[in-house]
Amino acid sequence: MMKKFFSIYTLLALLTLGACTSEVDDVFDKSASQRIEDAIANDLSVLRGASNGWVMEYYPSSTLTYGGYTMLVRFGTDGEAQVACDLFSKDLVATSVYEVKQSMGPMLTFDSYNEIFHFFSEPANELGIGDRGYGMEGDYEFLIMECSEEQVVLRGQKTGNKIVMKPVPTGLTWTEYLGSVKSVTSEAYPAAYDVLVNDVLQYSVVQKYRKFILVNSDGSQLALPFVYTTTGIKFYEPLSVGTQTIQTMEWDASQMAYVSGNVVIKAQELPTGYHRYEEFVGDYVFVYGNGNSMTSVALREELFNESFIMEGFPLDIRVLYKADTGMIGLESQQLSDNIYLCAWSLADGGYLTAGEGVGMEGSMYEEDGSYVVYFGDNGVWGRDTDSFIAYDYSSGGSAFQIPYVIGMVKIVNE
């Protein structure tokens, strides 16, 4: 009896082995290393095949704290990638080395420093966005999850965030594409919004970075991160609003609202005297010393809706844009390795500080056909900031001084 059972089991085992052997031979007709090389070669071919590059929906931070950013990326056959982004000037393109290599599957990496891409991963970016030592915690290494001519899907190695890339439409330059994105960003200023369904108010949200925040009655918060597009916004994930599921919304400037079907996210009224980012760009006469000193300066775009660079003093100075109020901020900051622009209170004993956020803020007014920015203390320090000194910590002296700041007059070219 035992011999009979043994024969049956032996026969079943042989049949099973025969079936598996045929299947294994079909699937594994190439070595593991060859399959990896083929996958990498295919992914490189697809990435390089988009002649006008890719639109990348990039989300730094595993918690999506800062929302998303629209990047344009072109992969050259020489191993260099060109990168542009809606946060920077529309004509700024940064180049770095890229590679597709094996790491638990094909991985796309940006291996050399890129001033655009690595802004989001630096432990301390120049604007101080994010906690010290962490920054915005963005990725520069991505596992390739899906790769076709129509769409590439990546997953951030550090954050786990889903990153989608689609080809940049042919016939559009990168400057034109980012210009359209920035047009939406500029018109739809960061502020408070009302969410309406069928013209009925459901709730209100506020915008912080590239996300809407809904505060529930119990104090809990729901964050809705998004990227700006050429026509509106696209949320990180589809949302259920009323009976409708939405992921993209179109910007309607006439309503000052994002619209999708019967769902409208409408901007609340602009603050009185609000001025948009691009209105501050230009040439000025900077007035200080109680009106006795003047310096020709220029505000140049740095990070869109975030900051400017002021040129004209011995060292360039970063000027912040306060998108919620339409004002600008002149604050303490590092100018070079050893030189810090310190807030200075001459009228209150001559104290100075390099404390973060301490300084002055300025509002723009129209006076007799001219645009004037008046500066005043921003209330952060507790002393009255009325001046600035570029203090050299290596020598213990000043590199230059801007005492008794009054404001700036914009030069309008006829």
Side-chain angles (χ1 to χ4, degrees):
M1 187 71 174
M2 286 292 293
K3 187 178 292 185
K4 187 174 182 180
F5 276 124
F6 180 81
S7 300
I8 293 173
Y9 288 137
T10 301
L11 179 61
L12 288 172
L14 289 171
L15 289 171
T16 304
L17 180 60
C20 289
T21 301
S22 176
E23 185 175 333
V24 168
D25 287 342
D26 290 342
V27 174
F28 298 107
D29 56 344
K30 295 182 181 180
S31 66
S33 60
Q34 185 60 53
R35 292 196 304 275
I36 292 170
E37 288 181 13
D38 290 348
I40 290 175
N42 176 73
D43 291 348
L44 277 171
S45 177
V46 171
L47 292 173
R48 293 169 174 173
S51 59
N52 203 23
W54 299 86
V55 180
M56 173 187 280
E57 299 166 4
Y58 178 86
Y59 287 85
S61 174
S62 59
T63 58
L64 305 175
T65 300
Y66 311 105
Y69 300 83
T70 298
M71 290 205 194
L72 304 184
V73 187
R74 182 186 289 111
F75 300 96
T77 56
D78 58 357
E80 290 192 337
Q82 294 179 310
V83 182
C85 178
D86 66 333
L87 183 60
F88 295 79
S89 173
K90 63 184 179 182
D91 55 4
L92 176 64
V93 177
T95 301
S96 60
V97 174
Y98 77 94
E99 186 179 3
V100 175
K101 55 190 176 184
Q102 168 62 15
S103 176
M104 298 179 64
M107 174 179 283
L108 170 64
T109 65
F110 292 82
D111 295 329
S112 64
Y113 182 77
N114 185 296
E115 65 177 294
I116 293 177
F117 220 105
H118 290 90
F119 172 86
F120 298 97
S121 59
E122 290 176 340
N125 58 62
E126 294 179 339
L127 287 182
I129 302 175
D131 296 331
R132 289 183 180 273
Y134 294 92
M136 298 174 76
E137 302 182 79
D139 288 289
Y140 53 87
E141 298 179 326
F142 307 90
L143 289 171
I144 301 176
M145 312 304 295
E146 176 186 330
C147 193
S148 70
E149 294 179 357
E150 293 76 30
Q151 176 175 278
V152 174
V153 179
L154 309 172
R155 188 178 73 216
Q157 173 75 348
K158 180 168 60 176
T159 65
N161 292 344
K162 180 181 178 182
I163 309 294
V164 177
M165 297 199 306
K166 294 187 176 181
V168 178
T170 57
L172 278 180
T173 67
W174 280 20
T175 301
E176 290 170 337
Y177 190 94
L178 289 179
S180 296
V181 175
K182 285 172 171 287
S183 177
V184 175
T185 310
S186 176
E187 289 181 358
Y189 73 106
Y193 288 80
D194 293 328
V195 181
L196 303 98
V197 179
N198 292 323
D199 295 326
V200 178
L201 178 65
Q202 304 296 311
Y203 42 80
S204 295
V205 295
V206 294
Q207 184 175 337
K208 178 66 173 177
Y209 298 114
R210 307 289 181 86
K211 68 179 186 294
F212 293 127
I213 302 173
L214 168 65
V215 180
N216 297 311
S217 57
D218 62 0
S220 62
Q221 295 185 354
L222 175 64
L224 309 174
F226 61 83
V227 294
Y228 287 105
T229 69
T230 57
T231 58
I233 57 175
K234 179 183 178 182
F235 292 105
Y236 182 69
E237 294 177 329
L239 307 175
S240 295
V241 183
T243 60
Q244 189 174 336
T245 299
I246 60 175
Q247 188 168 16
T248 61
M249 302 191 77
E250 302 294 300
W251 174 250
D252 184 339
S254 65
Q255 297 187 63
M256 286 293 291
Y258 298 105
V259 180
S260 178
N262 60 357
V263 178
V264 176
I265 301 180
K266 183 177 179 60
Q268 295 179 3
E269 188 174 350
L270 284 165
T272 302
Y274 188 93
H275 289 273
R276 300 183 184 279
Y277 178 88
E278 60 271 17
E279 295 180 65
F280 286 97
V281 175
D283 299 322
Y284 292 82
V285 174
F286 195 103
V287 183
Y288 58 104
N290 284 331
N292 296 315
S293 298
M294 299 182 184
T295 298
S296 296
V297 300
L299 284 190
R300 303 295 182 230
E301 180 180 347
E302 186 188 32
L303 299 180
F304 190 70
N305 261 3
E306 297 284 348
S307 66
F308 310 90
I309 291 296
M310 180 189 288
E311 302 169 346
F313 287 102
L315 292 172
D316 290 344
I317 299 171
R318 175 170 290 107
V319 176
L320 302 179
Y321 178 63
K322 311 290 186 177
D324 56 340
T325 60
M327 301 171 66
I328 58 175
L330 185 57
E331 300 175 359
S332 297
Q333 60 192 268
Q334 186 172 0
L335 300 180
S336 66
D337 289 343
N338 299 308
I339 300 176
Y340 286 75
L341 185 70
C342 297
W344 196 12
S345 181
L346 278 172
D348 191 15
Y351 293 93
L352 60 88
T353 179
E356 185 176 345
V358 179
M360 307 178 78
E361 58 186 13
S363 298
M364 180 179 281
Y365 301 89
E366 186 174 359
E367 295 182 355
D368 300 326
S370 299
Y371 289 96
V372 181
V373 177
Y374 288 108
F375 284 102
D377 176 65
N378 65 10
V380 174
W381 189 8
R383 297 184 183 277
D384 187 14
T385 301
D386 55 25
S387 309
F388 291 90
I389 182 170
Y391 188 78
D392 189 336
Y393 279 81
S394 61
S395 67
S398 67
F400 62 92
Q401 301 178 8
I402 316 175
Y404 297 112
V405 174
I406 294 179
M408 306 188 301
V409 180
K410 192 171 187 180
I411 300 172
V412 180
N413 297 318
E414 297 295 338

